Amino acid sequence: MLESLCLMPPKIGQVRRGISPAPADMLLTRRVGAPILFPSPLFWDSPPWHTWPPVVAEAIFLAMQSRGLLVSALESELGRTEDIDQTSTESSARASVSDTQAPLNRKSSPQDPTDSELGIPRMLPYRNERYGLADIDFDHAMVVDMQLSPRRDHSGRFAYSAMQLGRWEATPADQPLSGGGWIPAMTLPPDVSSLDRLSSKVAQLRVLAPDAAIVLSVTPEWIDDHLADLIAAGPDAILIRLGQIRMAGIAFAQFTRRLLTRVETIQKVPIWLAPPKSLAKHPLSVSDSIKTIALGVSAIAVDSWLEEVLEEFDEIAAPSAFSADPLRTVTAEVEEILSRRLDPDLEHFAGLLSTLVHEQPRDLLGTFDPEIAQLLDLPCIGRL
């Protein structure tokens, strides 16, 4: 996608002095509280948990998490319903965590370390409707992703499938939801009635998850008019979701440059990206992801790397009811798939990331195309 850009090698003098590899982890400085150290700048933004049996979803989640990826998941999406009070559709409407109401009742002991304190990467997808959300989810969050923009389903609607809602609401398999194949999004009272109340919602989420980073996520259509409002709300980072958009690689690079420049003029806030789809219908490559980091993005989603992985995950059958250890059985299959399909990409990413050691960010990228060099304000290589 970003084939016209190339990663620049260190300068000759820098090589002679010796080069320490760039760190693989990512330190996020929060507005309130101690910084958070993430194992890597990679996150899995939209796992389709509802398409897998709970034991398969659990095995996939643990395997991805063990690789240092920040994974978006609710306890309900993983089928962990035994020890939590599930938030039903009706109770969400009656007892919603609005920007003017008190926080949810917390259940965990204050002495128990949270997943964030333990360095276990988990992102809490805090949707407008709060489907499937339970108070224990805040204890497991290293990041709270407050999703301000709805996403379209496969049909183009702003909607959720009955399978998704069934997983969130722990619907028994023999009692499927009635009412059709999809449920409209944005049907419950919103947490934030207007953007001028957004800062109070961010503050409330910090009370609910004091050890987590608060991220506001939107689709790009919002940012022309509301970027300053998002920054003024005081998040620890802003996530821009472009995953349902197709654009040319250079248009994506230009957008990223413009966005980061605009953010710098308002107030510096880390920008995370879920990249767009390529016009050529090729997924974003590992090299493209590194180049996006080199452009100045702090973290990037790996969903586009996982198309073939998900196809193989879909073929994993739920283990037999007579299996002595169902999770172990499924985990072996998941690990075998990831060892072939994902681990080489993660190793490639780590290797390329370690080379981003230049003294000036502008020295990280270059291009042989004079027009692109001018468009992106990059060094033009080969000016002979």
Side-chain angles (χ1 to χ4, degrees), residues 150-362:
R151 282 182 273 186
R152 299 180 188 273
D153 67 5
H154 66 280
S155 71
R157 297 183 179 95
F158 292 120
Y160 303 113
S161 71
M163 286 181 64
Q164 284 177 290
L165 195 63
R167 178 64 61 86
W168 289 329
E169 303 303 321
T171 304
D174 60 347
Q175 299 176 25
L177 291 170
S178 61
W182 55 274
I183 299 95
M186 303 180 293
T187 53
L188 297 179
D191 268 357
V192 181
S193 56
S194 61
L195 283 174
D196 59 357
R197 294 176 178 264
L198 187 55
S199 59
S200 64
K201 185 62 193 182
V202 169
Q204 186 191 61
L205 291 174
R206 287 199 168 103
V207 174
L208 289 166
D211 298 302
I214 308 301
V215 174
L216 297 179
S217 60
V218 295
T219 50
E221 298 87 355
W222 275 52
I223 59 175
D224 285 337
D225 296 327
H226 300 300
L227 182 59
D229 296 318
L230 296 175
I231 294 174
D236 300 308
I238 294 175
L239 194 169
I240 310 296
R241 286 194 170 88
L242 300 105
Q244 295 188 322
I245 297 172
R246 289 195 183 276
M247 65 172 66
I250 296 306
F252 170 51
Q254 284 184 283
F255 167 81
T256 303
R257 278 286 205 207
R258 290 195 306 269
L259 172 62
L260 295 170
T261 300
R262 178 62 176 148
V263 168
E264 289 279 357
T265 63
I266 302 172
Q267 182 179 345
K268 188 172 178 61
V269 176
I271 297 297
W272 297 12
L273 282 184
K277 298 176 182 178
S278 168
L279 287 177
K281 298 186 178 181
H282 297 307
L284 194 81
S285 68
V286 174
S287 176
D288 294 332
S289 298
I290 285 290
K291 292 171 185 177
T292 306
I293 296 286
L295 283 169
V297 169
S298 297
I300 191 161
V302 299
D303 297 57
S304 61
W305 300 9
L306 301 175
E307 292 180 1
E308 293 180 346
V309 175
L310 297 189
E311 289 177 4
E312 295 203 32
F313 283 167
D314 290 342
E315 297 175 1
I316 299 176
S320 166
F322 302 102
S323 174
D325 191 341
L327 182 60
R328 183 175 181 178
T329 301
V330 174
T331 297
E333 292 187 67
V334 170
E335 288 289 344
E336 192 278 329
I337 293 169
L338 292 177
S339 66
R340 289 185 290 105
R341 293 294 193 183
L342 180 62
D343 288 352
D345 286 341
L346 292 176
E347 178 63 26
H348 187 198
F349 180 88
L352 290 174
L353 184 65
S354 71
T355 67
L356 301 185
V357 295
H358 301 68
E359 295 173 352
Q360 299 295 327
R362 190 177 184 276

